[in-house]
Amino acid sequence: MSEPLRGQARESGLIMRPPPNTPNTLYSLEATEYAQQHGKFMEFHHAAYKSFWEDRKDIGQIEVLETIADSVGLDGADMTRALEQGTHSQTVIAQYREALQYGINGIPTFLVGNLLFTGAHPYPVFKQAMERYLSQ
């Protein structure tokens, strides 16, 4: 992780200790879709973030995602079945393809007016983008 990103995380009060390996996030994206459809998107998102960045867990592993799901009140076993059956894989793949059509190729990506930017940015970047958009 770059030093500017480390500093930005520190300033925002975020803990960011990336795990040694980059996970395959297809299952985590599908699990997030499952959480959204069960009314627990934000809870799952925050728990997955903590699991990855603070606890250094591999969120590409179904067992890790099941534990996260259970921790936010989802039925982890049901979510695991959905992941193993690929219940949400076509939805996630369609979302990915749609994003590529708009020039989005990273997470997170933000669209403010006609300004598209990807990655972690400090608060002043968002503030300036919003001010620019609102002044138009």
Side-chain angles (χ1 to χ4, degrees):
M1 188 165 59
S2 70
E3 187 49 45
L5 185 55
R6 257 190 210 101
Q8 292 167 11
R10 236 184 342 267
E11 289 171 13
S12 299
L14 299 174
I15 298 170
M16 294 182 81
R17 293 188 303 255
N21 300 313
T22 301
N24 178 335
T25 57
L26 183 57
Y27 279 143
S28 60
L29 293 170
E30 290 178 37
T32 301
E33 184 66 25
Y34 175 93
Q36 181 168 334
Q37 291 184 9
H38 289 83
K40 295 279 189 173
F41 171 78
M42 286 308 291
E43 296 92 333
F44 185 84
H45 173 77
H46 288 288
Y49 179 95
K50 180 184 180 304
S51 184
F52 181 75
W53 287 107
E54 293 183 32
D55 303 334
R56 305 183 82 202
K57 301 284 184 183
D58 182 350
I59 59 171
Q61 298 296 316
I62 290 178
E63 301 80 22
V64 171
L65 295 168
E66 183 172 341
T67 300
I68 295 167
D70 286 333
S71 78
V72 299
L74 289 167
D75 182 340
D78 184 59
M79 187 196 71
T80 292
R81 281 188 293 280
L83 294 177
E84 289 171 342
Q85 294 170 1
T87 302
H88 303 291
S89 61
Q90 290 305 311
T91 300
V92 168
I93 290 168
Q95 292 167 346
Y96 173 70
R97 288 184 177 143
E98 182 180 6
L100 288 177
Q101 290 176 348
Y102 290 104
I104 298 169
N105 58 12
I107 298 173
T109 295
F110 305 92
L111 178 63
V112 179
N114 63 356
L115 177 63
L116 182 75
F117 53 101
T118 301
H121 296 280
Y123 174 76
V125 171
F126 292 99
K127 184 175 185 233
Q128 182 180 19
M130 286 303 295
E131 287 170 349
R132 188 157 134 210
Y133 171 72
L134 292 172
S135 71
Q136 295 176 350

